[in-house]
Amino acid sequence: MFTELNSILSSSPDSVTPGEFILVSDRQSDASFLIHHFLSFYLRSRCKVIFLGLVQSFRHYSAVSQRLGVSLTQAKEKGQLVFMEGLKESLSVLIPQADNTESQAMNFLRDPPVGLRSLYEFVRSCAVGSGRAEDGAEEWGPPVLLVDDVSVLLSLGVDAGAVLDFSHYCRAAVCSQMKGNMVMLVRCNGEEEEEEDGEEGAEALLKGLTHQCSLNLHVQGLPTGYCKDIHGQVEVCWKRRQGDGPHTQRNLFQYKVHDKGASFFPRGTSSAVL
Amino acid sequence: MLSELLQGIETGGLLIIQDSCSYSGRDLLRSFIAAALNREEEVHVLCFDVSEDELTDGLKPPYTQRLHVHNAYPDPLGWTDHPAFAVQQFRVEDLTDLVKQASQPKPATLVIDSLSWVLRHAAPPAVCRTLQQLRKGGAVRAVVALLHADMHQRGTVGSVCHLASSLIAVAPGPKGNEAVAKITKRSKSGKVAQDEETFCITEDLTVAVLSRLPEARPNGSEEEQADPTANLTFNLRLSESELEAKQKLTLPFVFSKEKKTALLHPGPGSGRILYEPDANDDYDQEDPDDDLDV
């Protein structure tokens, strides 16, 4: 959990704004450090976290979270964290074995045009399951869905439209119905093209998700090039803010990722410069 | 022109609000809903993009009796067993039944939030056909739709917007809560009017038009001439005081007309030359060489 980011977003583990869809996007950069932030943030706020880790193994997230002061293994044992390890689950679909039941959530790998309905059903069943407290189990807060990352589904053959439908349904179920939150990471590799004419592809997915989200954290490299002390810039864009009136608000910060966290500062105020 | 549109859309009209990632047109759409409710019209809303609460936030209770929301947000594709409204139902017959079910004699205004959802799941020609038939049929008086222009191909957006009788493209404005609207209005006679206005939307969903931007700025009549005093290593320019001194300076051999006449026709009091020849001078005007001792 990065304390500076909490103050920028005006959020704290004790008071979590419900019903938010936070979109973390990056362009030719790596915004996965923000996913680690949100993972530790929501675990600390005692929410039930459903993590779809499609690109890294559980051990990777566990190691990073250890440095941020949160133990994923413990959270999983206590039932607070439901971790779907995409890499392992996909093996059960790609290399079916007699004794191993096929994971239903990843069955889009078998037939991509079918879409992500089963993945949504999986998410919904995990989120609904948090409502019922079993004997001796702890009560957790509203469900939070984290997806790292959504763009990898495009490279697995899923249509951008199907991914947008999936995020819409998850938002309807998790954010609106159960008053939980949702964080998704989407990545773009190319330059921003003005004349993008296609409906498929990462650009269309990014635009569609930006329309759906309520808060967008867009990570990019510095426009002036590589710098050792400043790793990039984050543009924080609030789309809907209750009580502030109907207008969007944008703020630009620069960041540096450390061993045990990341620091955020307004442009030009890096400690290396001042 | 924005205020005129807010006061009413003509029967059979299709108004499309085009927005993008940088500015959401949903607040303007809600202003149109509020304006229609204030005019005591029946309003049917197809709610795909956002939840019903979010869309109707700010609409005052006494008017909401005339507001019928068909909530397609939780299940637009029919993945559960009982969808309230699914995108497959976006057809003339189903929509006409839906509107007539409200059992009000007046034809209603249909609001679609957003048309992008429908365009992602239905073929654009079918959507255009449905919109056109809705306008011509009797059940719906006018249609107002929100379209996310950057989510579709330009051809799709162009085809759908071509059907519209009024088109408002919104973009973020110069200041924080202001926005710029480019309005195109096609009247039945075929005349097209365009305008560009800056507006902002207040808390109670009224639109305040701030200024009308001039349509075309007059082209620079001042042609830029090459400035010879630019890009030099020395200074050829004059300061203000230097310029004044230069204007005042009279040149030595540039005479004004008065000075010329004064010199050519000497008046009284000017100098005269008086010559008194002495003995050595041989003043003979005819022979100038007389004094030569040759």
Side-chain angles (χ1 to χ4, degrees):
Chain A
M1 186 171 76
F2 310 146
T3 38
E4 278 163 1
L5 186 59
N6 281 344
S7 60
I8 288 172
L9 298 179
S10 313
S11 61
S12 81
D14 306 317
S15 65
V16 172
T17 329
E20 290 238 316
F21 174 12
I22 301 172
L23 180 71
V24 178
S25 54
D26 67 27
R27 184 177 293 280
Q28 295 178 329
S29 184
D30 190 2
S32 40
F33 68 99
L34 289 173
I35 289 286
H36 296 297
H37 157 81
F38 283 112
L39 179 59
S40 55
F41 175 81
Y42 284 114
L43 282 175
R44 277 202 202 173
S45 4
R46 297 185 57 83
C47 293
K48 168 123 188 210
V49 176
I50 304 158
F51 195 107
L52 300 183
L54 301 172
V55 287
Q56 299 277 10
S57 64
F58 177 75
R59 231 186 292 172
H60 167 86
Y61 296 108
S62 187
V64 178
S65 300
Q66 203 82 11
R67 286 199 219 139
L68 295 177
V70 168
S71 166
L72 290 194
T73 338
Q74 256 184 19
K76 210 164 150 188
E77 279 165 15
K78 283 193 284 186
Q80 188 188 10
L81 172 66
V82 174
F83 193 98
M84 196 200 85
E85 198 169 339
L87 296 170
K88 238 170 43 174
E89 304 272 336
S90 56
L91 279 182
S92 68
V93 176
L94 296 171
I95 310 175
Q97 288 162 358
D99 52 346
N100 211 355
T101 49
E102 194 175 286
S103 158
Q104 282 305 309
M106 302 284 287
N107 68 356
F108 63 87
L109 285 173
R110 184 174 290 285
D111 191 15
V114 155
L116 297 168
R117 186 172 169 174
S118 339
L119 191 59
Y120 160 70
E121 307 278 349
F122 168 79
V123 166
R124 194 189 167 82
S125 59
C126 293
V128 164
S130 70
R132 276 176 263 114
E134 288 132 16
D135 302 320
E138 289 179 56
E139 277 274 354
W140 303 112
V144 174
L145 172 67
L146 284 124
V147 185
D148 176 20
D149 66 62
V150 151
S151 318
V152 82
L153 295 169
L154 292 178
S155 50
L156 290 174
V158 183
D159 202 22
V163 181
L164 286 173
D165 294 339
F166 167 72
S167 69
H168 176 99
Y169 267 88
C170 287
R171 184 168 146 243
V174 174
C175 298
S176 307
Q177 200 185 339
M178 297 182 215
K179 306 282 183 262
N181 288 351
M182 198 158 91
V183 181
M184 281 194 176
L185 172 61
V186 64
R187 313 191 65 181
C188 273
N189 270 332
E191 295 287 330
E192 189 162 344
E193 289 157 35
E194 293 285 347
E195 303 294 320
E196 179 64 46
D197 244 10
E199 280 185 35
E200 298 86 36
E203 292 290 340
L205 179 61
L206 174 62
K207 293 212 165 84
L209 287 175
T210 313
H211 275 287
Q212 287 181 4
C213 73
S214 58
L215 171 63
N216 183 11
L217 295 166
H218 189 63
V219 175
Q220 271 179 309
L222 289 177
T224 44
Y226 171 75
C227 172
K228 198 176 65 157
D229 297 302
I230 304 172
H231 292 159
Q233 64 185 31
V234 179
E235 192 180 354
V236 182
C237 186
W238 280 274
K239 298 215 101 195
R240 291 179 260 281
R241 248 200 152 164
Q242 274 80 22
D244 266 5
H247 66 274
T248 57
Q249 194 182 349
R250 283 167 195 264
N251 276 333
L252 193 66
F253 293 94
Q254 291 174 340
Y255 70 92
K256 179 174 179 175
V257 180
H258 310 297
D259 192 35
K260 285 189 193 284
S263 55
F264 296 81
F265 35 87
R267 262 194 302 187
T269 59
S270 157
S271 55
V273 170
L274 291 178
Chain B
M1 225 197 269
L2 193 59
S3 331
E4 288 163 23
L5 285 172
L6 277 163
Q7 277 156 21
I9 309 165
E10 74 275 10
T11 312
L14 169 63
L15 167 69
I16 291 187
I17 300 175
Q18 252 190 30
D19 71 352
S20 64
C21 286
S22 39
Y23 183 81
S24 172
R26 186 156 295 111
D27 295 316
L28 189 59
L29 185 75
R30 290 175 346 140
S31 306
F32 273 93
I33 298 176
L37 288 173
N38 284 343
R39 287 195 300 272
E40 311 208 342
E41 287 175 12
E42 295 285 322
V43 179
H44 286 257
V45 182
L46 299 182
C47 196
F48 288 102
D49 261 10
V50 292
S51 63
E52 189 178 335
D53 300 325
E54 216 176 309
L55 192 65
T56 54
D57 182 32
L59 293 174
K60 298 191 196 74
Y63 301 130
T64 51
Q65 293 161 13
R66 285 187 287 272
L67 178 68
H68 310 269
V69 178
H70 306 285
N71 198 3
Y73 172 73
D75 188 15
L77 296 174
W79 284 0
T80 65
D81 290 326
H82 314 283
F85 185 84
V87 78
Q88 293 88 345
Q89 288 174 273
F90 190 81
R91 288 190 303 253
V92 181
E93 309 83 27
D94 295 324
L95 288 172
T96 319
D97 290 338
L98 202 67
V99 170
K100 285 200 171 134
Q101 260 173 17
S103 69
Q104 289 294 330
K106 285 188 288 193
T109 305
L110 182 67
V111 176
I112 307 174
D113 173 23
S114 65
L115 202 55
S116 293
W117 241 102
V118 183
L119 279 172
R120 279 206 298 116
H121 292 274
V127 175
C128 291
R129 195 168 45 237
T130 307
L131 284 173
Q132 191 70 354
Q133 284 170 345
L134 271 177
R135 289 166 77 182
K136 298 228 171 99
V140 169
R141 195 185 144 273
V143 181
V144 181
L146 178 65
L147 181 67
H148 303 304
D150 50 5
M151 273 176 72
H152 309 281
Q153 293 186 7
R154 273 198 306 211
T156 313
V157 174
S159 316
V160 175
C161 293
H162 199 71
L163 287 178
S165 60
S166 320
L167 181 66
I168 306 178
V170 291
K175 283 187 225 153
N177 55 348
E178 289 173 6
V180 173
K182 288 203 178 110
I183 307 157
T184 308
K185 202 167 166 189
R186 296 192 185 100
S187 66
K188 285 194 179 138
S189 59
K191 186 174 146 199
V192 178
Q194 286 187 323
D195 201 3
E196 194 171 315
E197 290 175 358
T198 313
F199 69 96
C200 79
I201 302 181
T202 58
E203 292 259 346
D204 57 350
L205 296 177
T206 47
V207 176
V209 177
L210 297 170
S211 72
R212 295 171 56 115
L213 298 171
E215 273 193 32
R217 251 167 244 121
N219 252 336
S221 48
E222 59 275 3
E223 282 160 8
E224 287 176 9
Q225 290 164 357
D227 187 9
T229 54
N231 297 328
L232 293 170
T233 53
F234 44 90
N235 183 21
L236 277 184
R237 295 205 170 99
L238 295 170
S239 69
E240 289 285 333
S241 50
E242 286 170 345
L243 206 62
E244 272 178 38
K246 183 182 166 189
Q247 309 281 12
K248 284 196 199 135
L249 185 66
T250 47
L251 293 176
F253 294 104
V254 175
F255 295 140
S256 64
K257 202 166 176 194
E258 295 82 28
K259 198 164 176 191
K260 261 196 218 167
T261 46
L263 287 172
L264 290 173
H265 309 287
S270 58
R272 269 176 21 194
I273 299 174
L274 299 162
Y275 179 58
E276 301 269 347
D278 65 2
N280 288 338
D281 286 328
D282 190 3
Y283 190 68
D284 183 9
Q285 295 213 1
E286 269 72 59
D287 187 5
D289 292 324
D290 249 3
D291 54 7
L292 284 178
D293 203 13
V294 176

